[in-house]
């Protein structure tokens, strides 16, 4: 586990310029329930505090020049939670969307929701659609909220779409490639996540972006999501900046390429 104590922002990675800043950050916001339980409060208070943390991180990413922030708000498996918590989470999404979307729009943020939206009630589906339409032409940070999302669902959707094309005689089986699979998945038009963060002390992916995280750098933090602030984000980005991304090549090849780039790119 790394960096439980956020550092000083004066030398922050986000304010240090664009070099080695991830284009796309994807986050599992874990620890809301425990945050509330530690304070003898109902779990929903942790989720409410979680929304405040979302606001801070969105602002930090927008100011820091990050292009895409993907947040895992509700997994396909979260329906297994107590009925009351699920209901309260839905209410919270409704209120948060209603309250935050104008501010996001004002700040040139584009909002997108990915996942099996049909699983939500009609009012929430409508609010999601309205928020997406309102912000669709914004050119700043793209915030992707993964809601009723599962990585296996995403991959299955893409496979089904290719199977339909094969069945209709529009595609040969031999023409099925990883690129064609990727095209059928959520986030296909966005850069793949460079940095994955999970808060709350757990070290697993929990059916998040299974396909898209193939070459992503992972960062696990013990900080409970409501306490995850701009300093904590900076620590994650500073850690990312020290990583050498090889994408299957050797370290030597990467260094050579960087040297060539210094003079020619
Ligand atoms: C995991 O913590 C968190 C969730 C399942 C919900 C996340 C939702 C928010 C942060 C608020 C809404 C977000 C948006 C984008 C509107 P947990 O409940 O599993 O915590 P625990 O592991 O401590 O029990």
């Amino acid at each position: 586990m790394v960096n439980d104590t956020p550092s000083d922002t004066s030398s922050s990675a986000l304010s240090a310029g664009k070099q080695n800043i991830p284009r796309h950050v994807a986050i599992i916001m874990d620890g809301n329930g425990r945050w509330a339980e530690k304070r003898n409060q109902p779990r929903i208070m942790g989720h409410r505090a979680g929304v405040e943390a979302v606001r801070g991180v969105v602002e930090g990413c927008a100011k820091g020049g990050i292009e895409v922030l993907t947040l895992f708000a509700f997994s396909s498996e979260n329906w297994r939670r107590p009925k009351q918590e699920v209901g309260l989470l839905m209410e919270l999404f409704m209120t948060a969307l209603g309250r935050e979307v104008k501010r996001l729009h004002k700040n040139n943020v584009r909002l997108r929701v990915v996942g099996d939206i049909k699983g939500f009630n009609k009012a929430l589906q409508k609010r999601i659609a309205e928020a997406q339409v309102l912000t669709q032409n914004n050119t700043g940070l793209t915030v992707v909220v993964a809601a009723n999302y599962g990585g296996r669902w995403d991959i299955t959707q893409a496979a089904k779409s290719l199977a339909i094309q094969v069945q209709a005689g529009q595609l040969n089986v031999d023409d099925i490639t990883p690129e064609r699979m990727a095209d059928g998945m959520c986030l296909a038009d966005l850069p793949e996540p460079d940095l994955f963060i999970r808060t709350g002390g757990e070290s697993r992916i929990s059916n998040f972006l299974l396909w898209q995280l193939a070459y992503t750098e992972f960062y696990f933090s013990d900080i409970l999501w409501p306490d995850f602030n701009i300093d904590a984000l900076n620590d994650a980005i500073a850690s990312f900046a020290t990583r050498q991304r090889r994408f299957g090549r050797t370290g030597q090849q990467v260094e050579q390429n960087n040297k060539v780039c210094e003079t020619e790119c």
Side-chain angles (χ1 to χ4, degrees):
M1 229 42 74
V2 287
N3 294 335
D4 206 5
T5 321
S7 69
D8 175 13
T9 32
S10 56
S11 58
S12 74
L14 270 176
S15 58
K18 281 232 164 184
Q19 216 182 7
N20 284 333
I21 295 285
R23 291 179 70 191
H24 183 168
V25 178
I27 308 183
I28 296 188
M29 310 175 286
D30 197 12
N32 293 348
R34 278 165 288 156
W35 185 93
E37 280 156 16
K38 269 169 73 176
R39 288 162 178 76
N40 292 320
Q41 291 175 0
R43 290 174 58 84
I44 190 66
M45 296 306 285
H47 296 311
R48 286 204 182 114
V51 176
E52 298 304 314
V54 168
R55 192 182 291 145
V57 166
V58 166
E59 207 180 301
C61 287
K63 284 192 181 144
I66 284 162
E67 291 170 45
V68 187
L69 171 68
T70 298
L71 300 167
F72 205 6
F74 193 83
S75 77
S76 342
E77 289 73 35
N78 283 151
W79 297 106
R80 297 173 188 158
R81 291 189 172 212
K83 223 174 155 182
Q84 194 203 17
E85 182 171 340
V86 172
L88 289 170
L89 266 171
M90 294 303 140
E91 271 177 38
L92 187 64
F93 293 150
M94 274 296 275
T95 338
L97 268 175
R99 213 180 44 199
E100 302 295 333
V101 75
K102 282 199 191 98
R103 185 202 307 261
L104 294 174
H105 186 46
K106 215 174 103 199
N107 286 291
N108 197 23
V109 173
R110 180 168 65 139
L111 182 77
R112 185 179 308 177
V113 179
V114 296
D116 195 1
I117 304 305
K118 294 189 298 296
F120 294 131
N121 68 47
K122 288 274 182 294
L124 186 50
Q125 288 185 44
K126 186 164 173 271
R127 196 159 279 190
I128 289 171
E130 286 165 356
Q132 293 189 121
V133 169
L134 178 71
T135 63
Q136 66 187 347
N137 295 322
N138 291 343
T139 53
L141 172 71
T142 296
V143 173
V144 181
V145 175
N148 198 16
Y149 175 87
R152 289 178 178 172
W153 167 84
D154 200 0
I155 294 169
T156 309
Q157 289 290 111
K160 269 189 195 165
S161 140
L162 291 179
I164 289 168
Q165 290 174 55
V166 171
Q167 203 173 34
Q170 296 159 346
L171 187 72
N172 292 319
V173 169
D174 287 343
D175 293 331
I176 294 178
T177 58
E179 289 73 22
R180 280 215 160 90
M181 276 288 287
D183 282 347
M185 263 178 275
C186 297
L187 315 186
D189 56 325
L190 299 171
E192 286 189 349
D194 301 296
L195 172 63
F196 160 87
I197 301 171
R198 182 176 185 140
T199 63
E202 310 285 358
S203 311
R204 48 177 178 260
I205 309 187
S206 300
N207 198 18
F208 193 26
L209 303 162
L210 297 181
W211 178 280
Q212 296 87 341
L213 294 177
Y215 280 101
T216 304
E217 297 295 326
F218 282 27
Y219 181 90
F220 296 101
S221 166
D222 286 338
I223 298 173
L224 303 176
W225 175 251
D227 292 329
F228 196 84
N229 58 18
I230 183 78
D231 294 341
L233 177 66
N234 262 311
D235 285 344
I237 289 169
S239 166
F240 171 83
T242 65
R243 318 265 180 103
Q244 185 190 52
R245 305 187 73 194
R246 293 199 280 274
F247 298 98
R249 294 190 294 270
T250 67
Q252 207 180 15
Q253 284 176 305
V254 173
E255 274 165 33
Q256 256 162 11
N257 186 55
N258 288 347
K259 272 189 199 133
V260 173
C261 242
E262 270 167 30
T263 50
E264 291 175 18
C265 295

